Amino acid sequence: MADYTKFFSYFIPGSRRRKQFRRNYRDNFSYLRLYWKYFFQYWRSKDKVELDFFEVWVGQRCTLKCKHCLHLMPYLKKHNLYDIDELIKDIKKIQKIANIKHLSIAGGEPFTHPYLYKLLDFVYSNKDIQESEVVSNATIVPDTQSLDLLKKLNGKLYIRVDVYPGNEKRGDEFLSVCRNYGIDCRVLFYPDKNNAKWYNAGTPDKKINSVQRTKEVYQACFIKHCNSMADGIFVPCCRGIITEQIYGFPANKFENLNIRKLKANAFGKASLAVATNQLYWKDFCRYCDGVSFLAEEVTPGIQLN
């Protein structure tokens, strides 16, 4: 017999699903109006959506278990690596409707992927990508094939390096190898060498924010333009990728786009423009304290174990 519990829960007064449905209906009506506004803007126009920043995940596998990980990697049940060939197809699809100013390659830890060199080679040969980075925790020295490509990518790509407490030895080895190859490494955090801090956006025990708190968090957040893509799903912030998995909060179809179903025309441009708009706070912001001075300041790289 079919289970209708979920269906009928939408009609129970005061139920969580009913509240969510009412809120989605109200806010998505605003999204729908915005969608048609953008559609007519791009209709018969060759203009593309402008993405100042675009982050692609090569997987959800990391060598560390940071308690305050923004991507919440240690708390995921599965730590998959994504198909690089599919990822490249997804980027090409995005490029048909958007201009990417800065491409960021992230994970997990990107150098855990055995076929990362394919993505690096794509970046090297793609004339429309002018600026890019690989975000690494410096725990895995790249293989020779990747090192050769990284050297060729100098001037177009750099490695953003974070060396956390307890990983200084591996970090020094990573930086030494890269510098011997002449690869551009930019150290964002290194213990005792700067005062970089993290902001605790929220761990899995985070409670849902009120609407007012969510508005305040969204307005103050430094990374609300952190457009991210993982396994074919595009969201305007990296937290949107994992909120449903961690908190069970339903994904909003206006905010979480399936790139592989997106049309490379005015409809696709309108969908992307709506997802990346900064007029409205996002559903997944309800389970986030943002990256801002409103959040708790914590030391980077504190490990769970």
Side-chain angles (χ1 to χ4, degrees):
M1 183 178 292
D3 183 3
Y4 296 102
T5 306
K6 180 178 178 181
F7 175 77
F8 285 114
S9 66
Y10 287 105
F11 303 96
I12 300 174
S15 72
R16 175 175 170 271
R17 290 189 182 278
R18 181 173 174 81
K19 288 179 181 178
Q20 178 63 24
F21 175 79
R22 291 179 65 183
R23 186 190 167 277
N24 276 347
Y25 179 82
R26 181 180 68 251
D27 286 2
N28 287 349
F29 183 73
S30 298
Y31 274 151
L32 198 57
R33 287 189 300 176
L34 195 60
Y35 173 85
W36 287 111
K37 174 188 173 183
Y38 283 126
F39 172 79
F40 287 112
Q41 175 182 325
Y42 289 112
W43 186 46
R44 294 185 178 178
S45 170
K46 293 183 179 180
D47 292 342
K48 295 182 178 181
V49 180
E50 298 294 330
L51 297 180
D52 291 337
F53 180 90
F54 181 47
E55 179 178 276
V56 295
W57 292 14
V58 299
Q60 296 175 321
R61 188 172 297 173
C62 193
T63 51
L64 299 178
K65 294 183 178 181
C66 299
K67 180 179 179 180
H68 302 107
C69 175
L70 182 64
H71 293 178
L72 294 173
M73 290 294 164
Y75 305 103
L76 295 172
K77 293 181 179 179
K78 295 182 180 180
H79 298 86
N80 300 319
L81 291 177
Y82 303 139
D83 187 317
I84 290 290
D85 294 324
E86 286 297 319
L87 191 153
I88 291 171
K89 288 179 184 178
D90 294 337
I91 297 174
K92 288 179 178 178
K93 185 81 171 284
I94 287 283
Q95 288 186 306
K96 290 180 179 179
I97 58 175
N99 293 316
I100 300 171
K101 184 176 180 180
H102 181 96
L103 177 70
S104 179
I105 300 171
E109 166 52 48
F111 290 114
T112 60
H113 205 300
Y115 300 111
L116 180 66
Y117 69 88
K118 287 186 177 183
L119 180 56
L120 295 175
D121 190 46
F122 167 75
V123 173
Y124 176 74
S125 60
N126 193 308
K127 295 180 180 179
D128 293 326
I129 297 176
Q130 302 298 319
E131 181 182 291
S132 54
E133 67 177 350
V134 177
V135 181
S136 175
N137 61 27
T139 57
I140 297 180
V141 175
D143 58 55
T144 303
Q145 196 167 11
S146 294
L147 285 168
D148 289 337
L149 279 165
L150 288 165
K151 184 176 180 179
K152 288 168 62 176
L153 278 161
N154 264 354
K156 186 174 185 177
L157 179 145
Y158 61 88
I159 304 178
R160 199 199 86 184
V161 181
D162 297 313
V163 180
Y164 301 126
N167 290 294
E168 292 87 348
K169 185 176 180 179
R170 286 196 290 181
D172 286 341
E173 180 188 358
F174 180 96
L175 290 168
S176 176
V177 170
C178 288
R179 285 166 179 164
N180 286 339
Y181 265 79
I183 295 167
D184 185 5
C185 291
R186 304 182 188 182
V187 181
L188 182 68
F189 179 84
Y190 198 103
D192 303 325
K193 291 188 179 179
N194 60 35
N195 296 314
K197 293 290 183 181
W198 273 2
Y199 294 100
N200 179 16
T203 48
D205 57 357
K206 164 111 183 75
K207 302 300 182 184
I208 190 169
N209 292 328
S210 67
V211 171
Q212 183 57 40
R213 170 68 178 176
T214 305
K215 289 179 180 179
E216 293 170 356
V217 166
Y218 183 72
Q219 290 301 318
C221 187
F222 303 146
I223 62 165
K224 54 176 172 277
H225 64 291
C226 182
N227 306 303
S228 303
M229 183 178 69
D231 202 21
I233 301 300
F234 175 97
V235 290
C237 173
C238 58
R239 292 284 284 197
I241 293 172
I242 45 77
T243 301
E244 188 167 15
Q245 298 175 60
I246 296 291
Y247 301 106
F249 200 75
N252 186 314
K253 299 305 180 183
F254 282 96
E255 299 167 357
N256 294 56
L257 304 180
N258 188 331
I259 295 301
R260 294 163 193 174
K261 293 183 179 180
L262 210 60
K263 302 294 184 182
N265 53 23
F267 291 104
K269 292 177 185 178
S271 295
L272 189 62
V274 169
T276 57
N277 88 89
Q278 295 185 19
L279 295 173
Y280 307 119
W281 54 272
K282 308 301 184 273
D283 278 3
F284 48 79
C285 296
R286 298 294 301 275
Y287 281 98
C288 184
D289 285 329
V291 177
S292 77
F293 298 115
L294 295 179
E296 174 194 13
E297 196 175 85
V298 294
T299 301
I302 297 174
Q303 298 299 294
L304 284 172
N305 297 327

